[in-house]
Amino acid sequence: MSDPVEAARKLVPLLREHAAETDRTAAMPETVVNELRNAGLLSLGAPAAVGGPEADLPTAFEVYRNLARGCGSSAWVAMVLSTSAQVAAALGDEGRQELWGTDAFAGVCSSLVPVGGKARESAAGVHVTGRWLPLSGVHQSRWAVVAAVREQAEPVLAVVPVAAGTVERTWAMSGMRATRSDTLVLDDVFVPRRRVLPIRTLVTGSRPFMPGALVALAAPLLGMAEFAVEQATEWLRGQRAGGGSSRAASPAVLHTLTTAAARVDVAHVVLSSLLTDTERINATGEPASDVFRGRIRMLVARAVADLREAVHGSLTVLGGDGLVISHPAERVWRDMETACTHAMVSMERALDEYGPLLLSEQA
């Protein structure tokens, strides 16, 4: 396949063209979905053994970052489906063939926290029942990886056909609307052993899901913040050239813009460093320590906080113009605020986790 990063860059104009429609209808247009799917950008984690891209983390990061410069929801769905495919890739050969044998780009979404469902053991697998939400990208997915608890046993990850359940429309948010992160409902669905994984798969294996997924999650937010600063910069440059606004001549406004740009640059440096650290750990084939994962989570949350402030700063530069509903920066602001409610980028939770780890014997 062609270079995924270059493919993502080429799709930015199309994403921007449809971004307002995507936000208004709370759905990704089929034109956008098809272009993303055909470029392999919705399944970057699918294994090469079945014809998938199996992109490395730095490549995937740049794909999500670039897509977000066009549409935050589309980038988020690409990130979720691609990292979910990476989890499902830990299945054995028979399971992977079932998922991707006839379609190497088949979509996979996931809900990986075992709070929404239960698994009942049977001789040949498990029966899963429950509700999993929010489930970003479920409408673009053939399969879903769902976490479920078992009685007196480790929780499991069950890979189920989305068509085996029902999808309830529950996603009604002000931002990231087109992710359509609705609810998957399963009622006693049988999952054969070939499509069942121990939940520890998330931190073990040759391609561990964590902590790379934490860094990948921040990539769409980086792209959105870069786009917001770009919008503010172009507006201020135009105002200065035309001499039509007193705001354009304000040192305070220029200071706000440069501070926003600096926040984005700092976040980019931090995330690039974490990419390097994570790739180094993954290359060893050994699970990352709790301290390492806690550090990654804390620094990702710190970087995301800067990106959020950068978007706020861009809106301050734009003034009332930036809050007009049709303005791209207004959409980015809503998308960023919604994305920042995700538990994995919460600074409070990251600090609560990392503090005790620093005092542990591992540190």
Side-chain angles (χ1 to χ4, degrees):
M1 64 178 292
S2 61
D3 176 19
V5 177
E6 184 59 28
R9 290 180 182 139
K10 288 181 178 179
L11 283 175
V12 170
L14 177 71
L15 295 176
R16 291 185 180 180
E17 177 186 345
H18 289 278
E21 171 195 357
T22 298
D23 181 62
R24 183 181 65 257
T25 62
M28 292 169 61
E30 282 303 307
T31 299
V32 170
V33 174
N34 289 337
E35 289 291 340
L36 291 169
R37 191 190 307 279
N38 292 340
L41 305 185
L42 298 182
S43 53
L44 293 175
V50 292
E54 196 169 341
D56 58 26
L57 179 58
T59 297
F61 184 95
E62 285 302 310
V63 167
Y64 313 144
R65 174 192 177 192
N66 278 279
L67 292 178
R69 291 169 174 164
C71 172
S73 288
S74 299
W76 188 268
V77 168
M79 180 272 296
V80 169
L81 267 60
S82 293
T83 52
S84 300
Q86 183 184 335
V87 176
L91 294 170
D93 290 341
E94 189 178 4
R96 289 187 292 179
Q97 280 296 325
E98 188 173 3
L99 264 65
W100 294 296
T102 59
D103 181 4
F105 293 162
V108 184
C109 59
S110 64
S111 179
L112 305 176
V113 180
V115 296
K118 296 181 179 180
R120 176 174 56 84
E121 285 287 338
S122 69
V126 298
H127 293 257
V128 293
T129 298
R131 297 169 58 86
W132 288 266
L133 75 160
L135 204 55
S136 296
V138 64
H139 297 279
Q140 291 78 38
S141 298
R142 182 180 299 177
W143 301 91
V145 184
V146 296
V149 297
R150 295 182 294 174
E151 288 189 3
Q152 299 179 336
E154 178 188 15
V156 294
L157 301 173
V159 185
V160 301
V162 171
T166 57
V167 179
E168 294 183 358
R169 186 66 184 268
T170 55
W171 185 252
M173 306 292 281
S174 61
M176 301 295 265
R177 301 182 67 220
T179 63
R180 292 192 66 184
S181 304
D182 290 326
T183 300
L184 178 64
V185 182
L186 302 174
D187 183 13
D188 199 35
V189 173
F190 173 69
V191 185
R193 194 70 61 188
R194 65 179 177 275
R195 286 194 268 112
V196 178
L197 293 164
I199 201 164
R200 62 178 177 274
T201 301
L202 298 178
V203 294
T204 61
S206 59
R207 295 184 70 202
F209 179 75
M210 300 290 282
L214 285 168
V215 185
L217 189 148
L221 308 190
L222 174 61
M224 287 192 292
E226 288 176 324
F227 181 49
V229 171
E230 174 188 314
Q231 290 287 306
T233 302
E234 290 180 355
W235 179 87
L236 191 58
R237 185 180 293 127
Q239 291 294 309
R240 286 197 163 194
S245 171
S246 60
R247 293 179 59 78
S250 168
V253 171
L254 183 58
H255 180 268
T256 300
L257 176 63
T258 54
T259 299
R263 288 185 184 277
V264 171
D265 285 344
V266 169
H268 188 196
V269 169
V270 169
L271 294 171
S272 295
S273 174
L274 298 183
L275 281 172
T276 300
D277 291 347
T278 302
E279 283 292 277
R280 186 178 66 251
I281 289 292
N282 288 348
T284 68
E286 298 294 328
S289 68
D290 290 342
V291 172
F292 182 85
R293 290 197 302 273
R295 174 179 172 271
I296 294 287
R297 183 175 182 180
M298 183 268 294
L299 290 175
V300 165
R302 177 66 267 167
V304 168
D306 274 338
L307 295 173
R308 185 181 186 184
E309 288 300 318
V311 172
H312 290 173
S314 299
L315 280 179
T316 299
V317 170
L318 290 163
D321 287 0
L323 289 174
V324 174
I325 290 176
S326 61
H327 200 290
E330 186 270 344
R331 183 179 63 252
V332 170
W333 170 56
R334 287 186 287 107
D335 286 348
M336 178 67 77
E337 289 300 304
T338 302
C340 285
T341 66
H342 197 288
M344 298 312 293
V345 298
S346 165
M347 178 59 75
E348 291 79 9
R349 296 192 186 192
L351 293 174
D352 286 347
E353 174 186 324
Y354 192 52
L357 290 172
L358 280 177
L359 301 180
S360 69
E361 293 183 359
Q362 294 183 52

